[in-house]
């Protein structure tokens, strides 16, 4: 018998043994399960409304849940966060009062003005602001405007924002984004403009929230971080650390240190620590008890800013984004529990969308 025929004979014998023996069938079944199930489960975990392959597309699905920005409590400027925002802001260091003065003169929100300037200039480091004293990307027919001093540039930016906000009625970040960074513009072939609104919103939150033209919905759950991008949905998935197919009992939301994490709803802090035992995978975690036996959980925090027993208002800062516990990188793991703390975990997304009831 030649080698080719021998190989066919051996293959036939092995195939017969596999297909017509209990152990062989089990082996085939296990192999199919290991190969097919992770793929199937991964696909099944993707909700119809949330695209994990294109996280930025999820912004539209939740755009109404918090009004697109965070409001400062009582509309008051958070001086501590304001000063911290300017402490390491390139040429803007020590210029916080200049923004406050111009914003007051023009009747506009200083937080919004500063957030736009910080975003437009890479936090005070771009060549436009370093070499041309232009903090707002102001342009004319000859390109970027050049100002003699940074104070002149800030004053001109304030006047321009006054015209857009007061005269043109562009009162929201999204409205201003349509002018500052229109999506689909011919001079933006890589679609960088789509990040303008989320990034400005994130800077607004880091400075303590808007102090003008901002209304916070109450009673419903809102986004614990601005303009949420979903990294991993609720449901069955292949665990990124263990590689095992397991249920994911919350959602992973994109953020990076030291982004602020906010309470999705008012309530009482009932857990705030780095737990031990089976819960240590959460890392630094905060749990808030809400009305109707609902609990919200915020995990992997790099810093906790609240204590057990604190009464928390909606969108009050709880801590900072991090990667403590069992985590592959900075993100917020967010859960909703029903009946009791660490009880039945349900899909948080219907709550963040403002819908009543739970995911079935």
């Amino acid at each position: 018998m030649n080698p080719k025929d021998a190989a066919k004979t051996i293959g036939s014998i092995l195939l017969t043994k596999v297909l017509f023996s209990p152990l062989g069938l089990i082996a085939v079944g296990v192999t199919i399960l290991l190969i097919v199930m992770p793929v199937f489960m991964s696909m099944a975990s993707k909700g119809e409304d949330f695209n994990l392959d294109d996280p930025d597309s999820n912004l539209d699905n939740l755009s109404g849940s918090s009004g697109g920005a965070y409001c400062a409590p009582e509309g008051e400027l958070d001086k501590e966060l304001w000063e911290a925002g300017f402490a390491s802001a390139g040429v803007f260091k020590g210029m916080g009062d200049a923004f406050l003065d111009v914003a007051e003169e023009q009747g506009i929100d200083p937080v919004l003005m500063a957030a736009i300037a910080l975003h437009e200039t890479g936090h005070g480091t771009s060549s436009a602001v370093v070499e041309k004293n232009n903090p707002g990307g102001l342009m004319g027919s000859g390109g970027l405007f050049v100002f003699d001093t940074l104070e002149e540039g800030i004053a001109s930016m304030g006047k321009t924002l006054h015209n857009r906000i007061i005269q043109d009625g562009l009162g929201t970040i999204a409205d201003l984004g349509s002018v500052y960074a229109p999506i689909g513009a011919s001079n933006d072939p890589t679609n960088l403009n789509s990040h303008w609104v989320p990034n400005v919103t994130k800077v607004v939150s880091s400075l303590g929230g808007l102090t003008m033209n901002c209304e916070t919905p109450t009673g419903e759950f809102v986004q614990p971080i601005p303009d949420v991008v979903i990294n991993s949905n609720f449901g069955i998935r292949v665990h990124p650390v263990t590689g095992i197919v397991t249920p994911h009992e919350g959602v992973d939301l994109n953020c990076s240190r030291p982004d602020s994490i906010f309470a999705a709803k008012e309530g009482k802090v009932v857990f705030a620590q780095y737990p031990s035992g089976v819960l240590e995978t959460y890392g630094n975690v905060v749990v808030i008890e809400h009305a109707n036996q609902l609990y919200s959980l915020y995990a992997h925090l790099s810093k906790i800013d609240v204590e057990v027993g604190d009464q928390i208002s909606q969108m009050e800062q709880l801590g900072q984004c991090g990667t403590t516990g069992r985590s592959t990188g900075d993100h917020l793991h967010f859960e909703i529990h029903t009946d009791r703390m660490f009880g039945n975990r349900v899909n948080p997304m219907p709550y963040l969308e403002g819908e009543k009831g739970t995911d079935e």
Side-chain angles (χ1 to χ4, degrees):
M1 180 181 297
N2 60 47
K4 187 175 181 180
D5 291 337
K8 288 182 178 180
T9 301
I10 293 173
S12 177
I13 293 173
L14 289 175
L15 183 62
T16 301
K17 291 288 187 181
V18 168
L19 293 179
F20 295 99
S21 71
L23 290 177
L25 290 174
I26 291 173
V28 171
V30 170
T31 301
I32 293 174
L33 183 65
L34 290 175
I35 295 174
V36 176
M37 286 302 289
V39 176
F40 172 77
M41 293 302 187
S42 176
M43 294 174 63
S45 70
K46 300 180 181 181
E48 292 181 1
D49 296 330
F50 298 96
N51 185 349
L52 302 185
D53 295 324
D54 182 15
D56 286 345
S57 68
N58 298 315
L59 295 176
D60 292 337
N61 293 314
L62 295 173
S63 61
S65 62
S66 67
Y70 283 82
C71 308
E74 308 300 328
E76 297 291 333
L77 181 73
D78 189 316
K79 293 183 178 179
E80 183 177 352
L81 290 178
W82 177 264
E83 292 175 0
F86 283 94
S88 57
V91 298
F92 293 141
K93 184 176 181 180
M95 299 292 291
D97 287 345
F99 280 90
L100 290 174
D101 291 342
V102 171
E104 182 178 4
E105 179 183 349
Q106 297 296 337
I108 60 177
D109 189 340
V111 173
L112 178 56
M113 179 182 175
I116 293 174
L118 290 169
H119 170 67
E120 287 285 332
T121 63
H123 285 257
T125 62
S126 71
S127 59
V129 71
V130 173
E131 300 172 7
K132 301 180 179 182
N133 294 314
N134 188 329
L138 304 179
M139 299 185 68
S141 58
L144 283 169
F145 288 139
V146 179
F147 299 96
D148 292 334
T149 66
L150 185 54
E151 287 81 0
E152 288 182 16
I154 293 173
S156 182
M157 179 188 181
K159 184 175 181 180
T160 298
L161 281 176
H162 169 90
N163 293 339
R164 299 289 81 76
I165 296 171
I166 306 299
Q167 294 185 8
D168 298 342
L170 304 178
T172 69
I173 297 175
D175 289 339
L176 290 170
S178 67
V179 174
Y180 264 90
I183 296 176
S186 58
N187 62 349
D188 182 35
T190 58
N191 201 30
L192 290 176
N193 286 354
S194 64
H195 300 287
W196 194 92
V197 170
N199 288 341
V200 170
T201 303
K202 183 176 289 188
V203 180
V204 163
S205 72
S206 72
L207 295 175
L210 296 174
T211 63
M212 299 174 64
N213 300 323
C214 188
E215 295 182 0
T216 302
T218 58
E220 300 290 345
F221 286 81
V222 298
Q223 300 171 25
I225 52 178
D227 291 296
V228 63
V229 174
I230 302 168
N231 288 342
S232 183
N233 236 335
F234 180 89
I236 301 298
R237 67 169 185 176
V238 178
H239 196 283
V241 175
T242 66
I244 299 173
V245 177
T246 56
H248 188 220
E249 297 183 313
V251 291
D252 290 343
L253 308 179
N254 183 57
C255 62
S256 58
R257 283 169 286 180
D259 290 351
S260 298
I261 302 300
F262 301 93
K265 188 178 180 181
E266 69 279 357
K268 179 181 179 180
V269 177
V270 292
F271 196 94
Q273 67 182 67
Y274 196 124
S276 58
V278 296
L279 297 177
E280 66 181 359
T281 58
Y282 282 120
N284 286 322
V285 61
V286 171
V287 180
I288 302 176
E289 181 180 8
H290 310 286
N292 301 319
Q293 293 183 294
L294 290 177
Y295 299 79
S296 59
L297 176 146
Y298 313 77
H300 305 310
L301 305 179
S302 62
K303 179 184 177 184
I304 295 176
D305 293 328
V306 295
E307 297 180 352
V308 172
D310 287 351
Q311 292 291 334
I312 301 297
S313 59
Q314 189 173 52
M315 293 196 297
E316 183 172 339
Q317 182 169 327
L318 305 176
Q320 295 179 358
C321 176
T323 184
T324 55
R326 189 166 67 183
S327 168
T328 58
D330 287 351
H331 71 283
L332 173 68
H333 176 80
F334 178 75
E335 295 182 355
I336 293 290
H337 305 169
T338 61
D339 300 326
R340 59 185 174 84
M341 180 169 58
F342 303 116
N344 182 40
R345 275 84 158 176
V346 296
N347 188 351
M349 301 318 300
Y351 292 89
L352 291 182
E353 293 174 287
E355 296 176 4
K356 296 181 180 180
T358 64
D359 183 69
E360 298 181 353

